Amino acid sequence: MVGESHICSAWEEAIVNPVITVENLRKTYESITAVDGISFEVYRGEIFGMVGPNGAGKTTTIECIEGLRAADGGTLRVLGQDPVHNGRAVRQRIGIQLQESNLQPRIRVWEAMALFASFYQQSVDWNALLEQMDLQAHRHVFYEKLSGGQKQRLFIALALINDPDIVFLDELTTGLDPQARLNMWEMVEDIRDRGKTVFLTTHYMEEAERLCDRVAILDQGHIVALDSPANLVKQLDAPLRVEFEPVGPVALGPLQALPTATHVEHHGHRVIAWGKGDPFIVDVVQTLTNQHIRFRHLQVAQPSLEDVFLALTGRRMERGQ
Amino acid sequence: MQSLSKLALVNAKLYIREPAAFFFTLIFPAMLLLLFGAIFGNEPDPAFHSTRGFIDMETPALMAIVIASSAFMGIPIAIASLREHRVLRRLRATPMHPLAFISADLLVNFSMTLMGAMLLILAGFMAFDLQFHGAWLLLLVAFTASALTAFSVGYLIATLSPTARIAQTLGMVLFFPNMFLSGAAFPREMFPESIKRISDLMPMTYMVNLLQAIWFGQPWSEYRTTFIILVLTAMGGLFLAVRHFRWE
Ligand SMILES: Nc1ncnc2c1ncn2[C@@H]1O[C@H](COP(=O)(O)OP(=O)(O)O)[C@@H](O)[C@H]1O
Ligand SMILES: [Mg+2]
């Protein structure tokens, strides 16, 4: 009986209890309040993202959770423990990729893997990890001779070396070319699919939208929104934008008369129409066909997280840096 | 324990791959000895009690230079550079015990310094008719205490220096006066009185005197105070260095 209830509660704990709990986290540097009382939870097996412009407080938050910086206020729990007081115990079970760090310039790739593996009570076969990160051919290369992308992959490999329950990735695709970024995204999804929890930060909205199960949008030390990217966009209730280039003259009246349309205007050679809901696209195309208006270069722009940020803060992400 | 031996092994490899530290600690002191020997020879000299030659005096003195090279140049530059480039931060993001890192670093630096001293002594015996009248074990203890005292100063310089460049500057400010004024590079017997007075202010002077006294088998009473002070400062210094070690 005792054994059974024990198993039951352990199982319940695994699915009900979050792996990370942040309550009212606060951190100030001299005059700057970098993180201003934020709270959220991260659940097992999800990719949780924290997105926001540079200086929003992402690194401060993630490093407090990792136990590398001491918070000025609030409560933190990582895998049920305090990451500062039980720092070394927590770090046995998590993997960390820092936004900015290096290894010894003349350490070889394989030496770094073997050294880091020795820090943990349990570690995976790091040769397989190098294979997976496409670094096997570079195992004898000095760290200083690696390219930016190779260094980044080595840091991911080091973050996975203890088969961690939670992997923390701070700006993992900064400085990567588009192809390398795509590969990195696939790798992160792969980590999640193997049952790990991923906590990542990024200042690229499209990265958060593509990769995260849930995102917290951070701005000036506050969480301004937290949900799945799809829900955030849906709640925004922003209009769809349909653009096309008519061949010959076109009257805007019939388009403006559509019940789903909110606004239609000429923009140089092009016509831009805003409207609500997916039927709007069909309505526009049907109207054009019925009116025998020929068109080319039709584009549909869905609202994105970028629009969510704009709506919530009144600033554009990229320019608001 | 496993990570301590792994760290020490990796640190030893990294040390050997760094040409400057390797040269100044392992090669340079022996080279200096051979050079001095070629210039001054090792004939008994009235300046050194009539029974000792220049090389007899220089060999124990140069042991202090090996220590100073590690302590004031090697350690501060290496540690400040690892901190400046955020290598220490990455190591801290693991369950590695901080003491394991510092112990491994200390162990490797001490081993290399000891090796540098042994190469120096070997060169002295092979090239010259070197005299030794002391006890090797006592010499080893005095050498160890001197090294640990100087190393703890080295770690404290690293703590004070935000960058490797500043660590290098501070290290040189300590290294050169100590080297030239302590009797390590030139025997104190050659100094005029005024320089001798400045020499008395150099901490390394006491290390040089102690190593020479033990080397020539002087009675214990002659260096007991220096010996005890050095052992105590080694322990106190290491405690301070570990306590104030900065990871970022
Ligand atoms: N160690 C520090 N000392 C002083 N200010 C800091 C420090 N780290 C971060 N800050 C400041 O705190 C704010 C948040 O920074 P950070 O957490 O790095 O944001 P993000 O990772 O979102 O770019 C910024 O204004 C930054 O300048
Ligand atoms: Mg950051």
Side-chain angles (χ1 to χ4, degrees):
Chain A
M1 266 320 276
V2 172
E4 210 165 286
S5 77
H6 176 77
I7 288 167
C8 186
S9 73
W11 179 78
E12 258 173 27
E13 199 176 290
I15 54 164
V16 175
N17 284 357
V19 288
I20 299 172
T21 312
V22 176
E23 255 171 65
N24 207 16
L25 175 69
R26 194 178 299 279
K27 174 83 183 171
T28 50
Y29 304 106
E30 280 108 55
S31 58
I32 308 165
T33 301
V35 176
D36 197 2
I38 64 174
S39 305
F40 59 91
E41 292 177 335
V42 178
Y43 303 104
R44 195 175 297 276
E46 70 174 344
I47 299 178
F48 182 91
M50 188 159 254
V51 67
N54 285 332
K58 304 181 296 293
T59 297
T60 302
T61 304
I62 200 171
E63 293 195 353
C64 284
I65 297 172
E66 292 160 350
L68 301 179
R69 297 190 197 195
D72 294 323
T75 324
L76 291 171
R77 280 273 170 278
V78 177
L79 298 168
Q81 304 197 66
D82 181 323
V84 172
H85 289 111
N86 303 328
R88 293 185 49 238
V90 168
R91 291 198 290 274
Q92 279 289 352
R93 297 304 322 137
I94 65 176
I96 295 176
Q97 177 251 321
L98 297 166
Q99 179 174 2
E100 262 185 282
S101 70
N102 278 294
L103 297 178
Q104 296 92 327
R106 302 243 168 115
I107 196 166
R108 296 185 198 280
V109 167
W110 76 267
E111 290 169 344
M113 296 299 283
L115 177 65
F116 276 67
S118 78
F119 296 150
Y120 297 94
Q121 281 154 12
Q122 70 172 57
S123 58
V124 296
D125 169 15
W126 51 261
N127 268 307
L129 214 48
L130 285 183
E131 193 74 62
Q132 199 186 327
M133 296 297 147
D134 207 14
L135 283 171
Q136 208 32 286
H138 298 87
R139 61 198 305 270
H140 291 292
V141 176
F142 285 153
Y143 171 79
E144 65 181 356
K145 298 279 184 220
L146 296 176
S147 72
Q150 289 163 349
K151 284 178 183 169
Q152 194 71 297
R153 294 206 299 276
L154 176 56
F155 281 120
I156 307 274
L158 292 174
L160 295 175
I161 205 161
N162 57 332
D163 194 27
D165 295 331
I166 313 174
V167 188
F168 292 89
L169 306 168
D170 194 2
E171 304 274 2
L172 86 157
T173 63
T174 302
L176 295 188
D177 61 55
Q179 183 57 47
R181 172 173 299 169
L182 275 178
N183 292 342
M184 208 58 101
W185 287 352
E186 275 173 24
M187 244 186 36
V188 173
E189 285 169 338
D190 202 54
I191 296 170
R192 188 251 333 258
D193 294 344
R194 277 183 286 135
K196 315 281 176 211
T197 307
V198 179
F199 187 128
L200 62 83
T201 77
T202 177
H203 66 276
Y204 297 114
M205 282 292 180
E206 81 274 15
E207 180 163 289
E209 192 159 356
R210 148 78 205 265
L211 210 50
C212 298
D213 298 313
R214 288 192 309 139
V215 293
I217 299 181
L218 201 65
D219 187 44
Q220 298 175 352
H222 296 274
I223 290 182
V224 292
L226 198 172
D227 208 332
S228 68
N231 279 347
L232 286 174
V233 170
K234 203 161 73 192
Q235 280 155 21
L236 183 65
D237 201 25
L240 281 171
R241 197 179 73 213
V242 178
E243 280 187 44
F244 62 91
E245 201 177 305
V247 182
V250 59
L252 298 185
L255 288 177
Q256 275 159 345
L258 285 172
T260 46
T262 49
H263 182 68
V264 185
E265 65 177 38
H266 274 291
H267 198 271
H269 294 301
R270 300 179 68 76
V271 172
I272 305 179
W274 284 270
K276 287 275 168 69
D278 287 331
F280 173 62
I281 306 167
V282 180
D283 289 351
V284 169
V285 175
Q286 229 160 33
T287 308
L288 293 175
T289 314
N290 290 346
Q291 307 266 317
H292 304 290
I293 298 167
R294 295 199 297 136
F295 58 89
R296 55 189 175 200
H297 303 316
L298 181 101
Q299 285 180 349
V300 179
Q302 298 277 352
S304 67
L305 272 190
E306 179 70 54
D307 299 305
V308 175
F309 185 83
L310 176 64
L312 290 172
T313 65
R315 284 173 289 120
R316 293 218 145 260
M317 256 288 286
E318 306 302 331
R319 284 176 223 152
Q321 289 187 8
Chain B
M1 252 353 250
Q2 195 207 348
S3 54
L4 174 59
S5 57
K6 223 17 174 250
L7 269 166
L9 190 70
V10 170
N11 276 3
K13 286 187 195 172
L14 293 171
Y15 189 100
I16 291 166
R17 287 174 197 158
E18 209 51 65
F22 186 78
F23 174 78
F24 278 104
T25 302
L26 284 132
I27 312 293
F28 179 68
M31 258 177 56
L32 215 55
L33 187 79
L34 295 176
L35 182 72
F36 282 152
I39 298 170
F40 302 106
N42 196 25
E43 297 309 311
D45 192 315
F48 316 129
H49 314 274
S50 296
T51 57
R52 303 169 193 166
F54 190 89
I55 295 301
D56 295 329
M57 295 297 288
E58 265 309 282
T59 306
L62 281 176
M63 289 171 73
I65 291 204
V66 189
I67 292 174
S69 149
S70 285
F72 303 148
M73 311 288 265
I75 290 173
I77 296 173
I79 297 290
S81 166
L82 290 182
R83 190 177 51 232
E84 184 181 354
H85 296 108
R86 302 173 195 245
V87 179
L88 296 183
R89 269 195 111 222
R90 184 59 192 88
L91 290 171
R92 270 293 254 181
T94 69
M96 175 194 79
H97 201 293
L99 264 183
F101 177 81
I102 301 173
S103 310
D105 195 67
L106 201 62
L107 192 67
V108 169
N109 275 292
F110 180 70
S111 308
M112 296 296 171
T113 308
L114 186 62
M115 207 119 64
M118 279 161 40
L119 283 176
L120 168 81
I121 294 168
L122 205 64
F125 275 115
M126 299 216 318
F128 309 98
D129 190 16
L130 192 60
Q131 308 178 41
F132 177 74
H133 305 299
W136 287 113
L137 189 65
L138 198 59
L139 187 71
L140 179 65
V141 175
F143 180 80
T144 307
S146 305
L148 295 185
T149 301
F151 286 6
S152 52
V153 175
Y155 287 110
L156 290 170
I157 298 174
T159 292
L160 291 175
S161 312
T163 65
R165 197 171 267 279
I166 293 173
Q168 183 179 20
T169 309
L170 287 177
M172 287 202 297
V173 166
L174 283 181
F175 182 75
F176 286 107
N178 268 302
M179 166 163 162
F180 289 114
L181 295 173
S182 66
F186 305 104
R188 264 166 64 88
E189 284 77 359
M190 296 167 79
F191 293 166
E193 269 312 309
S194 55
I195 302 289
K196 267 191 186 152
R197 246 175 280 130
I198 302 177
S199 168
D200 287 340
L201 300 174
M202 295 290 141
M204 237 176 78
T205 301
Y206 299 91
M207 294 184 195
V208 172
N209 290 347
L210 177 68
L211 292 167
Q212 280 176 335
I214 293 176
W215 185 273
F216 293 112
Q218 305 292 323
W220 164 250
S221 57
E222 222 168 86
Y223 53 79
R224 181 184 51 211
T225 319
T226 319
F227 191 93
I228 292 170
I229 289 176
L230 213 52
V231 171
L232 290 178
T233 47
M235 294 193 297
L238 277 183
F239 176 77
L240 282 180
V242 169
R243 253 192 86 112
H244 294 287
F245 194 88
R246 266 200 314 130
W247 297 87
E248 45 191 295

